[in-house]
Amino acid sequence: MAKKQFKSESKRLLDLMINSIYTHKEIFLRELISNASDAIDKLCFISLTDDKVGLNREDFKINITVDKENRVMKIEDNGIGMDKEDLDKNLGTIASSGSYRFKQENEQADDVDIIGQFGVGFYSAFMVSDKVEVYTKKYGADTGYKWTSSGADGYTIKEADKDSAGTIVTLHIKEDAENENYSEFLEQYRISELVKKYSDYIRYPIIMDMTHSKVKEGTENDEKPEYESVTEPETLNSMIPIWQRPKKDVSDEEYEKFYHDKFMAFDKPAKIITTSVEGVVTYKALLYIPSKTPFDFYTKEYKKGLQLYSSGVLIMENCEELLPEHFRFVKGVVDSQDFSLNISREVLQHDHQLKTVAKTLEKKIKNELTSMLKKDRETYENFFGEFGRGLKYGIVSDYGMHKDALKDLLMFYSSNSENLTTLSEYIDRMPEEQKYIYFATGESVAAISKLPQAEVVLSKGYELLYCTQDIDEFTLQTLAEYNGKQFKSVDSDDLGIESEQTEDNAEENTEALKFVRDTLGDKVSEVIASKKLVSHPVCMTAKGGISFEMEKYFSAVQPEAGMKAQRCLELNMNHSAVKTMVDLIGKDDEKAKKYAEIFYNQALLIAGLPIENPSEYADLVSSIM
Ligand code: ADP
């Protein structure tokens, strides 16, 4: 029979596994048990509604057997099993696995690191075996299959009789070599130790024959009782899921392991939340706030939701209804005996109990984030850097319904310091006479801080929020105010800041302003003497409801709509260049017009808006140089 080749990416990883010098080879057992448990979860779930499965919750188990002489270890489950396609897809390629994608996204991550922290699933079997067989039958299928591979040179699949659904993974354990001990994996005590260490929380019994020496029956009361060696099956794991154990009994390391294992995560969680609620709905939850954005977070592949268990049976891998959109980064598990076991997806969506749980969880998550912000600023700022955008979308979405819940979690850069600030901290620093919370939008903090229209706010000593994300302005518009103070863009025509001298000049220069307005025609809706410019000659501000940031946003996502902000050209009548133009009016109108055009284009450039004709502009500037 022809051997099939592994997909090339898998082959690389397989080579890595086979030749691994990694010292924690023992994790292979955790990986295989975890696969067995997942497979049982699937069939157990089907059995809730399908009598044909013929198994009850208590019938599901994982069996480990060892044959020291022949150096064989078997891990058997009565889970869902695999058919031929599954075998090809699941064991023929590793490209779909989270670890592999992580490797691709993080070129610098070294190989040993991946194996150690995250495991590489099924393939880790090759760290300890020179040959692996998978003997399996899918639930509902007519025939079983046997998949065999001795490593990187490929694998074969052939039909094989198997009575019931499930999978037996047979490992042919490698011979010991110099400095390499594999025989330990054939020792009962060692296997039992590994199960306790890595797989204790698995919710199905992991059973293995254990040999003990025992007092021989009938000799208990003898002066010299006789001993005999007895072999009997024992359950190695406590089966208490990690979220059912008291927090004080679980180490951070165990919580993190679980997070990595269950959620394909690679980071150290920023926060681990445990909660136990008794009330209308009684439930326990274990939640994780990641510290890094998952690689697929902004793709369709990313699934929001929590794992939902009912008394230890996995009901749903991703129950979306348990998390609001703005906390979609949260990972975790909810377990409640109050959910009926045969809930279908449709019913769940309308489940009142589910809504109750979702509501309390949302509150809990918010409180944890608030306390992180207060007590562990660095972690929070890092978290906000990763997921802040999502919180802002949360404010804007659903017509601002969540804004009160989220506004205190927001952070912005500001002119106050290099660090992020919250809105409440901004308010605390406001001088008494300051009327508004000022903000400016732009590409970067550096670009915004140099905006001419920001100058008057900054020169007054008022703090300015720097909005560098496209969502920022929408966020502030949705909020409208914070603690009674309205938000004010530096682009708006009235900043609420008095600037005496320009007021009078405005009168004097009416004629000059009209001249510029006539020169520019439809390009601007207004030309005014600026009240906010201090040292710069010009700036462009937006009149009416549409800002330049919105114009840029819509020209990117909906160019056909042609949405444009009304341009208001502001001139600093005290600036020498502007004065030169004013002097030219009536004496050399052609030249004065050129000035007007140049001011207009400069203002566009500063606002980050495209100029209509760059080469014409360059010619214009050159012509008066
Ligand atoms: P992961 O478990 O991270 O998806 P693995 O390489 O460990 O990656 O396994 C690949 C896939 O093979 C699993 O997702 C599952 O579909 C299938 N599989 C592995 N072991 C079993 C098993 N014992 N029973 C049924 N399916 C299995």
Side-chain angles (χ1 to χ4, degrees), residues 43 46 50 52-53 79-87 135-146 159-167:
L43 191 57
I46 294 174
D50 180 353
K52 288 201 284 300
V53 176
I80 188 93
M82 285 177 274
D83 60 17
K84 195 160 182 251
E85 268 166 55
D86 293 335
L87 283 168
Y135 177 45
T136 182
K137 185 176 173 187
K138 190 161 182 164
Y139 171 69
D142 298 330
T143 132
Y145 292 93
K146 191 162 177 182
E159 281 193 21
D161 283 337
K162 192 173 185 299
D163 288 343
S164 52
T167 302

Side-chain angles (χ1 to χ4, degrees), residues 155-170:
Y155 61 91
T156 58
I157 299 176
K158 53 183 173 190
E159 281 193 21
D161 283 337
K162 192 173 185 299
D163 288 343
S164 52
T167 302
I168 303 172
V169 176
T170 305

Side-chain angles (χ1 to χ4, degrees), residues 117 252 256 259-260 265-271 289-292:
Q117 287 187 44
D252 284 353
E256 278 169 34
Y259 171 63
H260 293 154
F266 308 114
D267 56 326
K268 186 181 162 61
K271 183 90 198 169
I289 297 175
S291 62
K292 286 245 161 2

